[in-house]
Amino acid sequence: MARTVYVNGEYVPENEGKISIFDRGFLFADGVYEVTAVINGKLVDYDPHMERLERSLSELRMGWPCTKDELKAMHLEMMKRNALTEGIIYMQVTRGIADRQFNFPKDAKSTLIAFTQAMKLAENPNAVTGVKVISTPDIRWARRDIKTVMLLAPVLGKQAAYEQGANEAWMIEDGFVTEGTSSNAYIVKDGKVITRGLSNSILAGCTRRSLFRLAKEHGVVIEERSFTIDEAYDADEAFLTSASQFVMPIVEIDGHRIGGGQPGPVVRKLREMFLEEAGK
Ligand code: PDD
């Protein structure tokens, strides 16, 4: 069955969802996005995603395409029209349509599009076995705190991972792991979770934010600091977080087995806590 997608106020069959070749998202990657999970027909972490969207838009001096209430209504309508009970809603805002010029166009109206992807999130088989990760240099721009659609470096990193039989690439800058190509990165040592602190070098993950709150409630200690890939090879456990993967165990990094090649107790507990809260 063809999905219904959203394009600038209209709900249309997916093959009719079209954008101008002059859209600045297409020409300059001049746009931002959010990916929100749906579990049991409910949006997960919706408010944090919209707070981050607001920040991304404001950092790029980009206008809201509609009101916040309209945006929420659009998410709910997309779930309904696509009978989405589990999966993700992708939404993207660009600076709009104008003849090609680098500086901001004067009267362009932002473009807003959205689509859904049905996926198994809670029962993801990767969560049982754990996934493999490779490392790669972080060649992205300096404002990774803004969730832009400029994703060529993550595309290349993820492709390198897939070509080596892995699911994700951890990016390295100045000797330290920044994050995954589409996820935040964590290791566990002596029962303590270690993850890089927030700055312009990484995206402030909404799943990361929920994880911090849940960890605190359940007495799991998180230390915010940078770690090297060598430290990761030697970790007791490793995992990643993102809206589409929640808390995902990692069992191999650059061919080094982590925790005997099995998801460890801390990551299993954190994933369980997250799913419980998400209503699964
Ligand atoms: N990616 N870091 C990067 C570079 C990301 O692209 C993402 C999310 C995250 C995790 O953020 P969150 O927990 O809010 O999903 C961290 C999304 C899922 C994507 O591009 O598909």
Side-chain angles (χ1 to χ4, degrees):
M1 197 184 75
R3 281 171 297 183
T4 295
V5 302
Y6 175 94
V7 185
N8 292 324
E10 312 257 348
Y11 295 92
V12 293
E14 61 179 76
N15 58 351
E16 290 171 27
K18 301 250 161 65
I19 290 288
S20 163
I21 63 162
F22 295 106
D23 193 277
R24 289 178 64 95
F26 179 62
L27 295 179
F28 297 110
D30 191 0
V32 300
Y33 75 106
E34 282 297 332
V35 175
T36 306
V38 173
I39 287 266
N40 272 347
K42 281 191 301 204
L43 294 160
V44 180
D45 288 336
Y46 182 78
D47 290 343
H49 281 290
M50 292 307 118
E51 270 174 43
R52 187 171 64 193
L53 175 69
E54 181 158 35
R55 184 173 180 280
S56 294
L57 288 170
S58 119
E59 290 295 305
L60 297 177
R61 293 158 59 199
M62 219 178 264
W64 275 83
C66 57
T67 67
K68 287 179 192 172
D69 286 348
E70 284 164 350
L71 198 55
K72 178 85 184 261
M74 184 275 278
H75 276 81
L76 297 175
E77 187 65 22
M78 285 293 280
M79 261 165 55
K80 197 163 125 199
R81 289 191 186 230
N82 290 289
L84 184 71
T85 52
E86 189 161 333
I88 55 124
I89 301 183
Y90 176 94
M91 58 138 297
Q92 176 174 325
V93 183
T94 76
R95 206 182 299 276
I97 298 159
D99 213 349
R100 188 174 183 275
Q101 63 177 51
F102 282 74
N103 54 308
F104 300 170
K106 267 214 173 62
D107 301 313
K109 196 179 159 305
S110 353
T111 299
L112 171 63
I113 62 99
F115 56 84
T116 57
Q117 282 181 344
M119 288 186 211
K120 269 191 186 294
L121 301 182
E123 307 295 325
N124 185 342
N126 283 343
V128 179
T129 53
V131 298
K132 297 179 183 175
V133 163
I134 60 155
S135 61
T136 190
D138 196 335
I139 58 169
R140 297 174 300 164
W141 78 325
R143 290 302 306 276
R144 299 137 191 180
D145 55 313
I146 307 172
K147 197 162 172 64
T148 76
V149 296
M150 190 175 56
L151 294 174
L152 197 47
V155 164
L156 295 176
K158 194 83 90 183
Q159 180 61 20
Y162 275 84
E163 285 170 5
Q164 292 175 54
N167 292 58
E168 179 60 299
W170 276 7
M171 296 178 286
I172 315 287
E173 185 174 62
D174 300 331
F176 293 100
V177 174
T178 51
E179 60 186 330
T181 62
S182 63
S183 55
N184 289 119
Y186 308 75
I187 55 172
V188 182
K189 191 72 184 172
D190 301 327
K192 208 187 317 170
V193 175
I194 299 159
T195 195
R196 194 178 177 111
L198 294 182
S199 69
N200 291 352
S201 301
I202 65 167
L203 185 75
C206 296
T207 319
R208 178 187 189 277
R209 180 164 150 180
S210 289
L211 186 88
F212 270 56
R213 181 174 40 75
L214 286 170
K216 202 166 177 201
E217 281 166 22
H218 290 78
V220 178
V221 178
I222 301 187
E223 189 183 342
E224 270 185 287
R225 66 164 173 85
S226 299
F227 58 87
T228 64
I229 198 74
D230 284 329
E231 198 178 352
Y233 298 156
D234 195 37
D236 300 331
E237 300 180 40
F239 64 96
L240 59 87
T241 64
S242 78
S244 50
Q245 307 212 62
F246 300 144
V247 180
M248 180 59 66
I250 293 168
V251 291
E252 201 180 294
I253 304 174
D254 288 336
H256 297 261
R257 282 174 65 184
I258 309 298
Q262 301 280 335
V266 176
V267 61
R268 278 193 277 120
K269 179 174 167 191
L270 290 169
R271 183 174 173 88
E272 211 172 280
M273 277 157 31
F274 194 89
L275 287 175
E276 200 172 295
E277 188 178 69
K280 194 73 186 181

